[in-house]
Amino acid sequence: MTEKRLEALEPEQQELLNAAEKAMERGWNPRSNFVVGAAIRGKSGKIYTGANVTLSTTGMTACAEVAAFLAANMAGEREFTAIATIVRNDGMSVDAPSGPCGRCRQIIFEFSQMASVEPMLTLYSNTDKSRVIVATIEDYLPSPFLSGRLREKR
Ligand code: THU
């Protein structure tokens, strides 16, 4: 796990993070205004994006990462090489990059298992892209659960 600024990332990683930033425009969080954008790159090289949705009933939240995976799934792609996410709070900059929530750690891990290219790279950025945590999903989720069925599908 390392921390880099945008300019120090590989060009493809910069492109992915910039796509996540653009996806924040689609965040829908009328109560909290905490906006997350995500972008994932499929094995094909294509980028799929998602933004978080938080409804006023607090149980109704959908993470940006999940939205991006669902978009990719609907486009027929299930193998991924990298994911980037970026956050903003109430229109203001968030200085510290955050990591994926617990549920997303499992989701990213399971999707990463469907690719022959692994481990899946994760980029978690603060708002101005001056601090990007570059890691693998295994860094966030050691000793993960993997069902036998998923193992068979590989
Ligand atoms: N959220 C994400 O979209 N991704 C994360 O990795 C952490 C949290 C969302 C969920 C919810 O819409 C909001 O951020 C936090 O209230």
Side-chain angles (χ1 to χ4, degrees):
M1 207 179 267
T2 53
E3 189 181 302
K4 294 184 176 176
R5 48 185 303 114
L6 177 77
E7 297 75 20
L9 299 175
E10 304 287 326
E12 280 207 339
Q13 298 172 353
Q14 292 193 26
E15 185 192 22
L16 198 63
L17 184 51
N18 288 332
E21 185 179 35
K22 184 148 178 46
M24 280 199 291
E25 289 168 17
R26 293 278 182 249
W28 176 243
N29 309 281
R31 292 288 282 271
S32 78
N33 268 327
F34 189 80
V35 184
V36 187
I40 53 178
R41 189 181 293 281
K43 232 175 128 186
S44 69
K46 275 196 198 153
I47 291 176
Y48 305 91
T49 60
N52 68 326
V53 174
T54 320
L55 299 183
S56 52
T57 40
T58 49
M60 292 287 287
T61 68
C63 287
E65 293 91 323
V66 175
F69 280 121
L70 296 183
N73 179 61
M74 290 309 289
E77 185 141 18
R78 291 219 184 93
E79 299 187 41
F80 307 101
T81 55
I83 182 164
T85 87
I86 183 166
V87 296
R88 188 174 64 216
N89 195 11
D90 247 334
M92 290 182 320
S93 238
V94 176
D95 288 337
S98 66
C101 78
R103 183 168 170 261
C104 281
R105 289 175 196 217
Q106 180 66 23
I107 290 168
I108 296 168
F109 172 74
E110 289 202 26
F111 273 103
S112 80
Q113 290 302 299
M114 288 185 244
S116 45
V117 273
E118 54 178 315
M120 194 164 161
L121 184 78
T122 64
L123 305 166
Y124 274 81
S125 179
N126 68 345
T127 306
D128 69 8
K129 299 179 278 186
S130 61
R131 298 177 65 190
V132 185
I133 305 295
V134 183
T136 66
I137 188 56
E138 278 88 349
D139 289 330
Y140 287 113
L141 190 68
S143 313
F145 169 76
L146 181 62
S147 81
R149 203 145 166 253
L150 184 55
R151 274 184 211 282
E152 283 158 28
K153 282 197 176 196
R154 293 190 67 191

